[in-house]
Structures are given as structure tokens and as C-alpha cells.
Amino acid sequence: MISSRTGATLGQQLEDQDMKKFFLMMPFILGSAAMAQEHDWGARFYAENCAGCHGETAKGDGVLADYLTVDVPDLTSLSAANDGVFPMLRVIQIIDGRSGLRTHEKPMPLYGAIFREDLQPPMGMPGASEPLVRGRVLSIAEYLQSIQE
């Protein structure tokens, strides 16, 4: 269907709208990436979201660990338990939790969903917060990789 006003098809109009939204979001996405390089956001996000159970040093000895009915893993030994290779994809999937990969017991929160709710999309654009959610999850995973023993 051709629009009489612009001569563009409906598909082209929708693509143009998506591109406009994409370009409107670029400063936020690029700004977040630049800020992540200046600060250790992974350590910050870990401290805010993970240390309660896993501990400040990620050894599984957080203040809430004694109250859980499951053992809280030592996150500094993930590489050692995986033949010396940090299991980045698996760690990302477990932190995010939205993939359905639930190798841990129920007490582990679904941080992908939590972060998405925290980062409500600006300007009512569904999915606009997803790059920021993935950035938080990746920041935590990279922080965990950096503290492997």
C-alpha cells in the first residue's frame, strides 16, 4: 500500500519510524558504553544485586547465604570448575535468567526481568531498554571473569 502523502509503502514508513527510534536511542546506548569504560559498573552492579547472597568477595558467603535453603556457589572458581575457561555465555544466561536456563535453584532472581523493569523504556518504545539490560548483565559477567582465581 502506497501512502499518497509520501509515496512510501507502509513497510517503508514503519522502517523509517524504527530507524528514527534507533537514532534517538543511540546517544543513550553509546553514552552507556562510554560510562562503562570510565567506571567499574560490573563491580557496582555486582555489589548492588549479587553480594547479598554471594558475598563481597563472591565466595558464597553473603549475609543472606545462611538464610537460603540451597548452597550459594563460590563465583571466583567458575573458571577452575570449567577446565580453566570462564563460561561467559552460561554465566550471562544464568544472571539474566530469561532464557529458561535455570541450573541453579529457585532463590536466584531473574535479573534480566528485574533490570528491564528498573529501566522502563523511554518514550514508550518497547524493547528500548534491552541494550541497557544486556549491558548490566554483561558488566556483571565481565566483573566475575575478572575475579577468577
Side-chain angles (χ1 to χ4, degrees):
M1 169 186 255
I2 304 286
S3 167
S4 60
R5 190 171 60 116
T6 64
T9 66
L10 180 59
Q12 289 170 326
Q13 290 173 2
L14 291 175
E15 286 178 16
D16 289 344
Q17 289 175 355
D18 289 340
M19 289 302 290
K20 287 177 187 174
K21 290 177 184 177
F22 174 77
F23 285 113
L24 284 171
M25 289 303 300
M26 284 307 292
F28 297 108
I29 295 168
L30 294 175
S32 296
M35 285 181 5
Q37 291 175 358
E38 293 174 16
H39 302 343
D40 191 355
W41 289 106
R44 175 183 167 197
F45 294 140
Y46 174 85
E48 291 174 356
N49 299 285
C50 312
C53 295
H54 292 282
E56 290 181 20
T57 60
K59 297 278 190 184
D61 58 354
V63 295
L64 300 176
D66 290 338
Y67 299 102
L68 299 175
T69 59
V70 295
D71 290 334
V72 179
D74 175 350
L75 300 178
T76 65
S77 62
L78 298 174
S79 291
N82 194 47
D83 297 323
V85 177
F86 185 76
M88 181 63 80
L89 180 58
R90 184 176 171 96
V91 169
I92 288 170
Q93 290 173 330
I94 291 171
I95 295 168
D96 185 286
R98 295 178 294 169
S99 69
L101 176 67
R102 302 296 290 173
T103 60
H104 51 304
E105 298 297 323
K106 299 278 186 220
M108 177 79 178
L110 303 175
Y111 280 108
I114 292 169
F115 293 156
R116 183 178 51 214
E117 191 159 319
D118 287 349
L119 300 165
Q120 289 297 320
M123 299 173 278
M125 297 185 311
S129 63
E130 190 62 24
L132 300 174
V133 170
R134 291 181 183 193
R136 283 189 180 187
V137 171
L138 180 60
S139 294
I140 294 170
E142 287 180 338
Y143 170 71
L144 293 176
Q145 183 177 29
S146 75
I147 62 169
Q148 294 302 292
E149 295 177 350

